[in-house]
Amino acid sequence: DSLTVTAAITAGAFPAGWDIHSGLGWQAETAQAGVTQRVNDPARSPGTVWIALGQNDAAAHADPTKIGDGWTNTDAQQVTTLANTPHPDADVCWLLPAYFGTDPRYAAGINAYRQWVTLTAAARGEHVADWATVARPEHIEADGVHLTPAGRLAYGQLITQETPDCG
């Protein structure tokens, strides 16, 4: 999603050569085709896959003009399909999103996703990193979601630092 995209264009956030597959506003179903394509290409099939989603899949808003219906069974099925896509020998790692805003419906959706990921990853024996444990006020824009330049660097560095623990 946009957090990964903005981190990917921030110098020093990720090591050179990493294949970052992400886009603005992405949800699990948006990422699926590209992950499938990479897995089916022997030259690009990833040994480690990070699932750093949730802000868009789980979003629910008190403002009815904003898109988002919260964390649903359909979202869970789509994220499960995405997590099952990598080669069986690949490591799947999860990044828990965080919300630092004031919209209670949005917070509820993110918390539901965080709980689901924590239980799902534990059942699958997969590694989880938690953005909320690293994020500081200076990392987060006023909307409680998006990243400042310092946040982009910290977000990418968290993923980079946690990657050795994925396997």
Side-chain angles (χ1 to χ4, degrees):
D1 63 7
S2 65
L3 304 185
T4 305
V5 169
T6 58
I9 62 172
T10 301
F14 293 113
W18 276 26
D19 184 0
I20 308 294
H21 178 61
S22 188
L24 299 178
W26 277 21
Q27 297 182 8
E29 65 271 24
T30 317
Q32 185 64 57
V35 172
T36 299
Q37 181 184 36
R38 284 162 171 77
V39 168
N40 291 333
D41 179 350
R44 292 183 78 190
S45 187
T48 302
V49 174
W50 275 93
I51 299 177
L53 295 167
Q55 291 292 1
N56 298 309
D57 291 285
H61 300 278
D63 179 348
T65 65
K66 295 185 177 180
I67 297 171
D69 57 357
W71 182 244
T72 67
N73 288 335
T74 299
D75 294 321
Q77 291 167 354
Q78 291 166 336
V79 176
T80 299
T81 298
L82 184 67
N84 290 336
T85 301
H87 188 277
D89 292 337
D91 297 317
V92 175
C93 310
W94 301 80
L95 183 62
L96 293 176
Y99 175 60
F100 300 95
T102 59
D103 183 332
R105 291 189 62 211
Y106 196 104
I110 294 299
N111 288 335
Y113 178 76
R114 288 172 56 86
Q115 291 170 357
W116 181 87
V117 167
T118 301
L119 292 172
T120 299
R124 296 166 59 104
E126 295 167 344
H127 183 69
V128 175
D130 188 351
W131 172 233
T133 65
V134 176
R136 302 288 174 256
E138 63 270 16
H139 294 154
I140 310 299
E141 295 285 352
D143 67 1
V145 175
H146 294 96
L147 306 176
T148 64
R152 296 170 191 163
L153 185 61
Y155 187 89
Q157 288 175 342
L158 172 63
I159 293 171
T160 302
Q161 292 166 359
E162 293 283 329
T163 296
D165 293 334
C166 289

